[in-house]
Amino acid sequence: IVPSERAEIQVRSDRATGAGELVKFGQPVWYRFSFKVAGDWPQDVPAAGRQLCRTVIHQIKQDSFKGGKSCDASPFFKIEARPLGERVRFFAQVAAGASCAQPPMVTRTQICRRDLPRERWTTVQVRLNPAHDASGRVDIWLNGAFCGAYQGPMADPDYGARRNGAPFVNAQPRFGIYRDWRAETQTIYFDKIMFWNADPAGHPDWSVRSAAGVTASAATLPRACARGDTRQISGPPARTKEAGAIGWCSGQPLVNLSKWLRR
């Protein structure tokens, strides 16, 4: 996990070899994080002819290139917490299509739209299977309650980043503050950012209810996964404050991190 001047948390990986990658095409991944927006979060109010300020708090991206130049592809999965008066408009968005076409032929689908309060923790849980075809899927839960799903292709199958001829997610999961024109300070808190590469049902930090309201409880992870071997992350980076650990469990990376970010 490394900080950047963009007030974000990045997953460190080696793009040349794939070492450290948590999200891969054709391989499901489960993850969770909690966030809280502070009182200084902007208070945009809808007005005719003006779109609310975009504020992304999480994104995963496969860049697209044509002729050696970037096509400015959108994240194929992102989560926003847009300012909306005294509350924030939460939603997730999936993007798919040809970013390098002229004009770009990209479809964007929003799921799990909710209005959330400020100064209150919200837990987000995601089951993601990134794919360029119909096997792609995203399921989202908020505070343990099922919130929405998407089934279908993601990213750019034609010009998306490739390594040794195979598509790969070159911009691994990021958490932070990504916004439009705003200049004012705003603060967001993150807690317990955790990833699993096997179904975490039964793990103490993963408890969700299905669309039918059934709580997932089958213990499919080895018992050691709930404990794990941990080592402290050293050195708080600039403009962030952190306290957490990275654990490794039966070869499965388990990332656990707490931070606050201000921009």
Side-chain angles (χ1 to χ4, degrees):
I1 306 294
V2 294
S4 83
E5 71 282 358
R6 298 177 61 191
E8 67 179 9
I9 307 163
Q10 296 184 21
V11 171
R12 188 199 301 271
S13 63
D14 187 329
R15 293 186 179 183
T17 66
E21 291 179 352
L22 298 178
V23 179
K24 303 177 182 181
F25 284 108
Q27 297 185 23
V29 62
W30 293 255
Y31 63 98
R32 57 140 292 159
F33 66 94
S34 295
F35 77 95
K36 178 177 70 172
V37 298
D40 63 4
W41 209 253
Q43 298 192 20
D44 282 8
V45 177
R50 184 179 68 83
Q51 185 175 3
L52 290 175
C53 181
R54 176 182 62 93
T55 303
V56 178
I57 63 171
H58 165 56
Q59 60 178 321
I60 306 174
K61 184 175 181 180
Q62 181 197 31
D63 288 306
S64 295
F65 301 91
K66 186 176 183 180
K69 296 182 179 180
S70 172
C71 299
D72 297 323
S74 300
F76 67 79
F77 181 67
K78 72 172 182 177
I79 289 176
E80 291 200 27
R82 290 191 178 183
L84 184 64
E86 294 296 326
R87 304 173 71 80
V88 294
R89 171 64 53 82
F90 176 98
F91 65 86
Q93 179 173 289
V94 179
S99 300
C100 296
Q102 294 296 329
M105 303 294 290
V106 178
T107 60
R108 296 175 175 84
T109 305
Q110 292 185 7
I111 57 175
C112 187
R113 291 172 59 93
R114 298 289 189 275
D115 290 348
L116 302 176
R118 301 162 183 262
E119 297 286 3
R120 185 179 301 176
W121 285 100
T122 298
T123 297
V124 183
Q125 289 155 282
V126 179
R127 178 173 57 203
L128 171 65
N129 182 34
H132 288 139
D133 57 24
S135 66
R137 185 175 178 89
V138 180
D139 296 276
I140 300 180
W141 294 262
L142 283 186
N143 296 322
F146 183 76
C147 188
Y150 168 86
Q151 178 85 46
M154 307 174 194
D156 186 340
D158 298 319
Y159 296 99
R162 291 178 176 268
R163 180 175 56 230
N164 300 325
F168 77 106
V169 181
N170 65 314
Q172 287 287 303
R174 301 179 179 186
F175 302 83
I177 300 174
Y178 313 85
R179 60 188 186 187
D180 289 329
W181 43 266
R182 186 170 306 283
E184 297 86 350
T185 296
Q186 62 191 97
T187 305
I188 187 170
Y189 299 85
F190 289 97
D191 190 24
K192 283 195 174 181
I193 301 173
M194 307 177 71
F195 286 80
W196 295 265
N197 62 2
D199 189 345
H203 190 283
D205 287 300
W206 181 279
S207 178
V208 298
R209 296 186 298 276
S210 68
V214 178
T215 300
S217 59
T220 58
L221 283 184
R223 187 171 182 178
C225 291
R227 181 180 68 255
D229 297 322
T230 62
R231 51 188 173 85
Q232 284 300 118
I233 300 172
S234 61
R239 304 213 305 179
T240 69
K241 199 177 189 178
E242 71 178 343
I246 293 179
W248 297 92
C249 161
S250 302
Q252 301 169 12
L254 184 66
V255 178
N256 184 355
L257 183 66
S258 304
K259 282 181 179 280
W260 62 259
L261 296 177
R262 175 174 293 153
R263 177 176 177 181

